[in-house]
């Protein structure tokens, strides 16, 4: 029996499906929500760090560089390809430095409104914005897939910025999933047995209930979102630094019909919670947490299993992506792993850019000499 | 007064029972001083507190929570969630005797947000030059007829409220006021409050309460526990299914204290926060459980237009009458005078 079926067999299970005004099905699959203008707009609106200002580079006829926040910024960014950056404000002794508008919430990075693997479009975009981009001494971009590296290096080399890649993290994923049984057949028997045993125990007495799917109303969404935050606060993870961003992203994804929220309650107290996004044929595991006192009951494992079953059976996804991070437990749930990179672009035509390049060369030589 | 000064967990009696007993005897159960509120404040926001317990004979007269700021400076514990100094009982005493009992070499004891209604005797123990007015607090007596109360408000306020309500109805046809009092409903409404507040300016500056932060956890536990005793209320205004304004309140012996208020900044034009206050007050005038609303805020001139009573709140710094204490006092006075002079000159 699959996790979802086992959970359904227990009386306390409720599953929601996308309400009529939040269509899950779309005619043309949109890019992952992490690369859409709204993601970057909400990022700029809610994640504000001292000394850093969002900067949206786009080939606007009148205003070459847009520096607007919030809704106005969404409108601008939605109209054309835009490279969302952070730039350091004020005069610095480090030259003019920028970075991609990303942090630990960002599992991928690319300009908006461009196909992520389209090298020609990227090259044209960079050339078209050469004046703004070559004004920086250094630009740091992260995280990038390996196939993005040569595209970005070549595109920026053409405007005088030399790209130095470095390893950033790993990304675990499972692709070409045919159905629920196919997915579970690829898992180690240890995991399958644990899931089966823990599910049975958890739902035996009716003390635990499972809720997963798409919240049916905004009121339900907000209550489940609050429950998620309570679990996250009590989990082993550090306090959420930008909860307003999480709220905004979750609500936006819900409106787009792409949110999948899963919660396990013990006597009405939320004890495990997960936020997933379903974009086209891929499910992205964005956030997961459980309360440590419930580790023995493996509430996190049981919820994960139910979420996998749901997105494969109900949403028909063929790929599930664990996003950024190389945690050990991910190996049990996924078969494939790919590296994620950062790219430091140094301007060969400026003093500070050359200094950064020298620093890299020296570091490389030192490492080689030390045999690292 | 005999003082017993111990780390909080070394107090020989039943700490929170003794505290609440003083609150009921001397402060009419004021929810801002109640043991339920203060115990949670200590659990969430305190480190290394001392308890000052003052006795006359064997009878406990005064209790206060103290913390060291280092360099001989002590203060009454007051996290930002506390609106009034956490000092209960109201007996007069010799301040220097208390300071002399503080560990180490005490130079100064600071008090924040002393309330003339709750700390009359304590304020009497402090010299005028040691006091600073820190806020103007306001109250509204909700007895009699609402129409009579409202007719005594400034004309401009009445006209503005009329205009705001008219605009709200014109823009959205209707809205509704909800009041939650049951524990689960109050807990859920407190979560909603946090999800709303974090979207506004407080979220930007990092002071909003939210289920994801310690402050949000504190308020949710407080409100749920107080609701279980029938002493918490959350008022909300909805436009359709959208929560647009919310107010968290505690209630005890006919005193309603407003803890927190927030509104959806997208509805600023409709002044939904003020409409919420208006509607809440209107409902309270027919509510036998409430006689007075206390805001425990530093009221602006606009807010004061609503009140029927106002009173100052005080901070105080009392120096030890020792050579070191008096030297520190003199140095601070000189520094303050120099700063004033330079500020004046640069202006």
């Amino acid at each position: 029996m699959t996790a979802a079926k086992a959970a359904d067999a227990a009386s306390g299970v409720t599953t929601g499906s996308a309400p009529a005004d939040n269509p899950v099905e779309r005619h043309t699959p949109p890019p992952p929500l992490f690369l859409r203008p709204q993601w970057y707009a909400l990022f700029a609106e809610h994640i504000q760090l001292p000394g850093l200002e969002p900067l949206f580079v786009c080939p606007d006829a009148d205003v070459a560089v847009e520096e607007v926040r919030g809704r106005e910024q969404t409108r601008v960014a939605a109209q054309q390809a835009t490279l969302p950056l952070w730039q350091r404000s004020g005069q610095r002794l480090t030259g003019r430095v920028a970075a991609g508008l990303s942090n630990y919430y960002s599992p991928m990075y690319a300009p908006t409104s461009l196909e992520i693997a389209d090298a020609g479009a990227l090259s044209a975009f960079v050339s078209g914005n050469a004046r703004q981009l070559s004004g920086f001494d250094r630009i740091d971009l992260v995280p990038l897939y390996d196939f993005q590296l040569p595209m970005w290096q070549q595109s920026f080399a053409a405007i005088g910025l030399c790209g130095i890649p470095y390893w950033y993290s790993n990304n675990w994923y499972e692709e070409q999933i045919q159905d629920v049984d196919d997915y579970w057949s690829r898992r180690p028997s240890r995991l399958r047995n644990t899931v089966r045993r823990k599910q049975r125990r958890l739902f035996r007495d009716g003390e635990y209930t499972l809720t997963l799917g798409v919240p049916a109303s905004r009121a339900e969404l907000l209550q489940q979102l609050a429950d998620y935050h309570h679990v996250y606060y009590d989990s082993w993870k550090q306090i959420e630094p930008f909860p307003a961003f999480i709220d905004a992203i979750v609500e936006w994804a819900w409106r787009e019909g792409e949110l999948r929220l899963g919660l396990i309650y013990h006597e009405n107290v939320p004890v495990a919670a997960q936020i997933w996004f379903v974009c086209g044929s891929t499910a992205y595991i964005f956030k997961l947490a459980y309360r440590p006192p419930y580790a023995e009951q493996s509430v996190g494992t049981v919820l994960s299993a139910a979420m996998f079953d749901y997105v494969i059976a109900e949403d028909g996804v063929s790929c599930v992506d664990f996003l950024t991070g190389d945690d050990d437990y991910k190996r049990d749930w996924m078969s494939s792993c790919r590296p994620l990179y950062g790219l430091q672009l140094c301007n060969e035509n400026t003093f500070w850019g050359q200094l950064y390049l020298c620093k890299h060369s020296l570091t490389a030589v030192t490492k080689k000499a030390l045999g690292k | 007064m005999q003082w017993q000064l111990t780390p909080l967990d070394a107090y020989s009696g039943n700490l929170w029972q003794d505290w609440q007993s003083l609150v009921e005897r001397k402060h009419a159960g004021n929810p801002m001083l109640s043991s339920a509120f203060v115990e949670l404040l200590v659990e969430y926001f305190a480190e290394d507190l001392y308890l000052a317990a003052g006795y006359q004979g064997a009878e406990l007269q005064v209790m206060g929570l103290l913390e060291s700021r280092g360099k001989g400076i002590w203060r009454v514990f007051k996290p930002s969630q506390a609106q009034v100094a956490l000092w209960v009982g109201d007996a007069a005493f010799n301040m220097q005797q208390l300071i002399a009992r503080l560990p180490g070499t005490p130079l100064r004891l600071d008090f924040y947000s002393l309330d003339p209604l709750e700390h009359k005797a304590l304020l009497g123990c402090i010299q005028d030059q040691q006091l600073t007015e820190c806020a103007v607090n306001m109250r509204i007596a909700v007895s009699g007829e609402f129409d009579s109360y409202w007719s005594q408000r400034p004309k401009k306020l009445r006209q503005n409220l009329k205009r705001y309500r008219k605009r709200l109805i014109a823009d959205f046809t209707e809205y509704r006021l909800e009041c939650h009092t049951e524990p689960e409903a109050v807990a859920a409404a407190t979560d909603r409050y946090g999800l709303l507040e974090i979207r506004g300016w407080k979220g930007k500056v990092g002071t909003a309460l939210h289920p994801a932060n310690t402050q949000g956890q504190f308020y949710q536990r407080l409100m749920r526990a107080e609701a279980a005793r029938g002493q918490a209320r959350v008022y909300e205004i909805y436009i359709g299914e959208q929560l647009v304004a919310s107010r968290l309140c505690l209630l005890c012996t006919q005193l309603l204290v407003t803890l927190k208020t927030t509104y959806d900044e997208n509805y600023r034009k409709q002044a939904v926060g003020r409409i919420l206050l208006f509607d809440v007050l209107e409902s309270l005038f027919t509510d036998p459980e409430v006689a007075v609303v206390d805001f425990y805020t530093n009221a602006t001139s606009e807010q004061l237009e609503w009140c029927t009573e106002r009173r100052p709140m005080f901070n105080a710094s009392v120096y030890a009458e020792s050579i070191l204490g008096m030297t520190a006092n003199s140095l601070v006075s000189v520094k303050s005078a120099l700063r004033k002079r330079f500020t004046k000159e640069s202006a």
Side-chain angles (χ1 to χ4, degrees), chain B residues 42 66 156 172 202 322:
Chain B
V42 169
L66 303 177
K156 197 177 164 196
F172 300 103
K202 282 193 175 178
S322 61

Side-chain angles (χ1 to χ4, degrees), chain A residues 29-61:
Chain A
L33 78 170
F34 316 104
L35 299 178
R36 293 183 212 157
Q38 294 92 328
W39 169 275
Y40 291 111
L42 292 171
F43 197 101
E45 185 178 350
H46 294 289
I47 299 176
Q48 292 173 18
L49 297 174
L52 294 175
E53 291 172 353
L55 175 74
F56 286 76
V57 178
C58 58
D60 189 286

Side-chain angles (χ1 to χ4, degrees), chain A residues 62-73:
Chain A
D62 301 319
V63 188
V65 179
E66 293 289 345
E67 290 184 70
V68 276
R69 289 177 183 272
R71 289 175 180 75
E72 180 66 11
Q73 168 190 298

Side-chain angles (χ1 to χ4, degrees), chain A residues 45-46 48 71 218-219 222-223 225-227 229-230 233-234 239-240 243-244 247 251 255, chain B residues 44 188-189 191-192 194-195 198-199 204 210-214 216-217 220 241-243 266:
Chain A
E45 185 178 350
H46 294 289
Q48 292 173 18
R71 289 175 180 75
R218 189 169 182 273
L222 295 185
Q223 185 54 58
L225 182 56
D227 289 344
H229 282 301
H230 283 293
Y233 180 86
D234 278 342
I239 289 178
E240 186 67 72
D247 294 353
E251 186 162 357
R255 291 191 186 285
Chain B
Y44 279 91
D191 280 341
R192 286 195 295 275
L195 295 174
I198 199 109
R199 288 162 50 192
K204 299 279 187 290
H210 186 276
N213 61 31
T214 304
Q217 295 288 320
Q220 212 233 22
E241 291 307 304
Q242 187 89 13
L243 172 67
N266 294 321

Side-chain angles (χ1 to χ4, degrees), chain B residues 79-335:
Chain B
S80 61
Q81 293 75 17
Q83 313 292 341
V84 61
L86 302 180
W87 187 274
V88 296
D90 204 28
F93 59 90
N94 183 328
M95 188 67 74
Q96 290 304 321
Q97 280 181 1
L98 169 62
I99 292 175
R101 293 295 307 275
L102 292 169
T105 312
L107 300 178
R108 194 176 85 199
L109 175 58
D110 292 335
F111 297 84
Y112 299 110
S113 297
L114 291 170
D115 182 347
L117 287 182
E118 307 295 354
H119 301 117
K120 194 175 171 187
L122 173 59
L123 282 164
C125 304
I126 300 170
Q127 295 167 19
D128 285 351
Q129 67 269 27
Q130 296 168 329
L131 286 172
T132 323
E133 191 176 314
C134 63
V136 177
N137 191 14
M138 60 182 255
R139 279 187 161 202
I140 299 174
V142 288
S143 50
E145 295 293 321
F146 176 76
D147 288 344
S148 166
Y149 158 76
W150 192 241
S151 66
Q152 290 169 50
R153 299 306 102 217
K155 190 178 174 186
K156 197 177 164 196
L157 176 66
R158 285 183 282 136
Q159 283 175 339
N160 282 344
L161 255 294
K162 200 173 176 182
R163 194 158 45 88
Y164 299 145
R165 286 163 68 92
K166 204 173 163 185
R167 188 184 294 160
L168 184 62
I169 300 296
D171 291 349
F172 300 103
T173 314
E174 60 181 358
Y175 72 94
R176 67 179 190 281
L177 175 71
E178 288 188 8
C179 176
H180 303 283
T181 56
E182 294 302 314
E184 286 311 308
V186 163
T190 307
D191 280 341
R192 286 195 295 275
Y193 180 99
L195 295 174
L196 180 60
E197 186 171 73
I198 199 109
R199 288 162 50 192
W201 67 270
K202 282 193 175 178
K204 299 279 187 290
V205 298
T207 58
L209 75 87
H210 186 276
N213 61 31
T214 304
Q215 194 179 201
Q217 295 288 320
F218 162 79
Y219 275 109
Q220 212 233 22
R221 265 185 71 188
L222 171 73
M223 295 299 287
R224 188 199 295 269
E226 293 290 342
R229 289 204 293 265
Q231 296 183 349
R233 293 182 182 184
V234 183
Y235 291 96
E236 295 180 319
I237 278 188
Y238 284 87
I239 294 175
E241 291 307 304
Q242 187 89 13
L243 172 67
V244 296
S246 178
R247 200 173 265 264
L248 309 183
C249 306
L250 292 181
L251 171 69
C252 190
T253 49
Q254 295 199 303
L255 172 68
L256 185 91
V257 173
T258 64
L259 289 180
K260 303 275 291 175
T261 185
T262 193
Y263 66 93
D264 188 331
E265 289 173 10
N266 294 321
Y267 294 83
R268 187 191 299 272
K269 201 177 78 175
Q270 286 81 17
V272 286
R274 287 174 202 185
I275 289 174
L276 174 61
L277 177 58
F278 179 90
D279 286 0
V280 168
L281 288 174
E282 192 172 28
S283 74
L284 291 178
F285 269 84
T286 55
D287 186 337
E289 285 186 46
V290 183
V292 177
V293 181
D294 201 314
F295 288 78
Y296 276 113
T297 186
N298 187 12
T300 62
S301 55
E302 278 189 349
Q303 287 171 317
L304 287 170
E305 291 178 347
W306 295 74
C307 78
T308 55
E309 302 163 36
R310 66 179 76 180
R311 66 185 187 278
M313 301 285 280
F314 296 97
N315 291 342
S317 291
V318 184
Y319 283 87
E321 288 176 357
S322 61
I323 292 173
L324 281 174
M326 288 188 287
T327 309
N329 191 3
S330 305
L331 287 173
V332 169
S333 301
V334 170
K335 192 176 160 188

Side-chain angles (χ1 to χ4, degrees), chain A residues 174-192:
Chain A
E174 184 77 26
E175 58 184 352
Q176 295 180 327
I177 302 167
Q178 305 299 316
D179 53 34
V180 171
D181 291 337
D182 174 48
Y183 171 75
W184 285 106
S185 70
R186 302 182 198 179
R187 305 282 64 82
S189 59
R190 181 171 41 82
L191 178 64
R192 290 202 304 265

Side-chain angles (χ1 to χ4, degrees), chain A residues 258-280:
Chain A
E258 294 177 329
L259 173 71
R260 303 294 178 267
L261 253 176
L263 290 134
I264 289 180
Y265 294 86
H266 179 228
E267 295 176 336
N268 295 325
V269 175
V271 295
Q274 297 190 7
I275 297 172
W276 292 36
F277 301 125
V278 171
C279 308

